[in-house]
Amino acid sequence: MSLQRAPILKHGKTTWDKDLIPQREVDERVARIRAAMKARGYDALLVVGDSLRGGNSIYVTNFAPWEPRAIAAAIVTPSAHEATLQIALRNIPFVQPYVWAKVRTAADEGVGSAVEEAATELQLKHARIAFVGGRFLGEAMLGQIQKTFAGGKLTEADDIILELRRRKSPTEIALVRGAGAKAEKILADIIQHAEPGMTEAALAAYADYAFRRSGCQDVDVLFRAGEAGIEAYAHGKHFPFRPASSQPLSAAPSTGIYIAVQYHGYWLELSQSFVVAGKAPIAALDTAFAEMLKAARPGGSVGKSDARAAWIHGIGLDREEAPQFLPGGEALEAGDTIAAHVAIRQGDDVLVKGRVALVGEAGSTVLA
């Protein structure tokens, strides 16, 4: 077995479910990319991504780089759609069935050399190239790509793909909604499985298995950091969760869990506080979450106080994408998919609840 496949086994199945993303959706996506290129006066689009920032390359090819040191590149022209992947030749038959583009291997010589080869074959060395993801490349590979297109014009154009990714299609929304419904059922099962005396690590292992069994590609299970105050939840200024420990689940006042899962490339986030012994919903938390969703609309403000805070960011093929709530960040737009979390103080406890939601003019609705 190729060592390249070991991370695939670790992170779950990689596939193309044509019931979730039919060929028509792929064709329309590529057509939108080509239209955006043409409108901006580009001859081709070059997209690069890695295992940490793979959203752009996944959007174009359905390939998620699994090797931290490897880069995936995609080239789109008016007539070509190619994926240049740093994989062994023997892995092409394994990868090609779920990649939407013609696969070109860059096994030993590296992606930079393979991009140069593609540029020569496609006659792009003197073309106007929209370059997406270049700012994340190492100096050597970036220099190699810049040299390849030195006879033309290579322009940083991340906005092209980011704008397209932000305006998710009905097919994408339906996929996330279905994944959200799966996640909701699994989260309820995880909470029911929790028992007094069980360790955080045991519950995290159960959650990991439950999500992977349902077809999720990757899972991250964390627990609320008990020392994190309410201010930690204000627009993600601090990440108030930590890895599972060997200590027992908090019997009182509550346990807070955070789960990020990847399903067919798309990420979801869930957070939930619950009382291990009681299992019942916490009414005050559900009310605060509903109020926060109603305020999360174009032009709205979720606000914060000494007893309540919100943490919201865009989510999709990357765990964080537009809209980003940072200084100078974007405002919400109708159609945004967001991870929306609320935290409230109840006595000495901080309670959390979060789900992925779709922004509308009258507020946001949970995708589940």
Side-chain angles (χ1 to χ4, degrees):
M1 182 182 70
S2 167
L3 291 178
Q4 292 265 20
R5 298 186 194 177
I8 294 296
L9 297 175
K10 178 181 178 182
H11 293 294
K13 63 182 181 181
T14 301
T15 186
W16 176 13
D17 187 335
K18 295 186 179 181
D19 289 331
L20 295 176
I21 303 182
Q23 183 66 53
R24 180 189 68 256
E25 169 71 13
V26 177
D27 294 342
E28 290 174 353
R29 183 177 298 185
V30 174
R32 289 195 296 271
I33 292 171
R34 286 173 170 151
M37 286 163 36
K38 183 178 180 180
R40 291 166 174 80
Y42 294 113
D43 301 310
L45 177 79
L46 172 62
V47 181
V48 293
D50 59 21
S51 60
L52 295 178
R53 295 166 292 264
N56 291 331
S57 57
I58 294 171
Y59 184 80
V60 180
T61 67
N62 199 39
F63 179 82
W66 62 68
E67 165 58 50
R69 297 164 297 176
I71 301 293
I75 295 176
V76 180
T77 73
S79 58
H81 182 198
E82 294 198 2
T84 298
L85 311 176
Q86 197 158 338
I87 59 173
L89 280 169
R90 62 183 176 271
N91 280 329
I92 290 182
F94 167 70
V95 167
Q96 184 66 81
Y98 70 84
V99 175
W100 299 329
K102 172 187 173 182
V103 173
R104 183 187 297 266
T105 184
D108 298 321
E109 70 278 18
V111 166
S113 297
V115 167
E116 182 177 9
E117 177 185 298
T120 300
E121 291 183 15
L122 297 172
Q123 299 181 0
L124 296 175
K125 286 197 169 185
H126 300 284
R128 298 162 297 179
I129 308 296
F131 191 23
V132 176
R135 67 183 187 275
F136 301 123
L137 288 180
E139 185 176 338
M141 186 175 294
L142 178 59
Q144 189 175 11
I145 289 176
Q146 289 172 333
K147 182 179 178 181
T148 294
F149 297 103
K153 187 175 182 180
L154 189 69
T155 304
E156 185 177 303
D158 288 43
D159 60 304
I160 289 182
I161 295 297
L162 295 179
E163 288 177 10
L164 291 173
R165 285 174 56 192
R166 184 168 181 176
R167 293 167 176 79
K168 293 177 175 59
S169 70
T171 297
E172 292 177 284
I173 296 298
L175 188 158
V176 175
R177 191 184 301 279
K182 280 176 178 278
E184 203 70 48
K185 291 179 181 179
I186 295 170
L187 177 61
D189 175 55
I190 291 167
I191 292 173
Q192 288 300 314
H193 184 76
E195 296 289 347
M198 177 182 288
T199 66
E200 292 178 349
L203 186 62
Y206 181 84
D208 183 275
Y209 174 73
F211 277 104
R212 292 185 190 279
R213 184 177 57 186
S214 74
C216 292
Q217 292 165 272
D218 210 347
V219 187
D220 193 9
V221 182
L222 305 173
F223 289 83
R224 183 175 66 81
E227 68 278 6
I230 195 75
E231 66 282 352
Y233 299 83
H235 290 319
K237 292 181 179 178
H238 172 70
F239 192 66
F241 298 91
R242 54 165 176 75
S245 72
S246 59
Q247 68 187 37
L249 297 171
S250 176
S254 73
T255 291
I257 194 169
Y258 163 93
I259 303 172
V261 297
Q262 187 186 36
Y263 185 74
H264 212 295
Y266 288 82
W267 285 94
L268 295 91
E269 286 184 358
L270 306 95
S271 62
Q272 185 71 54
S273 288
F274 60 96
V275 178
V276 174
K279 316 277 191 185
I282 303 172
L285 180 58
D286 292 340
T287 298
F289 183 68
E291 291 173 350
M292 184 265 291
L293 286 181
K294 187 175 181 180
R297 62 184 188 276
S301 174
V302 295
K304 74 183 187 73
S305 67
D306 290 340
R308 174 175 150 180
W311 166 40
I312 298 175
H313 61 86
I315 194 168
L317 290 170
D318 282 313
R319 288 173 68 160
E320 291 198 20
E321 59 181 43
Q324 295 282 10
F325 286 95
L326 301 170
E330 309 98 325
L332 290 174
E333 295 179 2
D336 283 341
T337 54
I338 57 173
H341 304 259
V342 71
I344 62 172
R345 179 180 287 122
Q346 193 170 73
D348 294 330
D349 198 12
V350 176
L351 307 174
V352 296
K353 181 173 181 177
R355 301 291 190 275
V356 171
L358 179 66
V359 177
E361 294 295 343
S364 296
T365 54
V366 173
L367 285 170

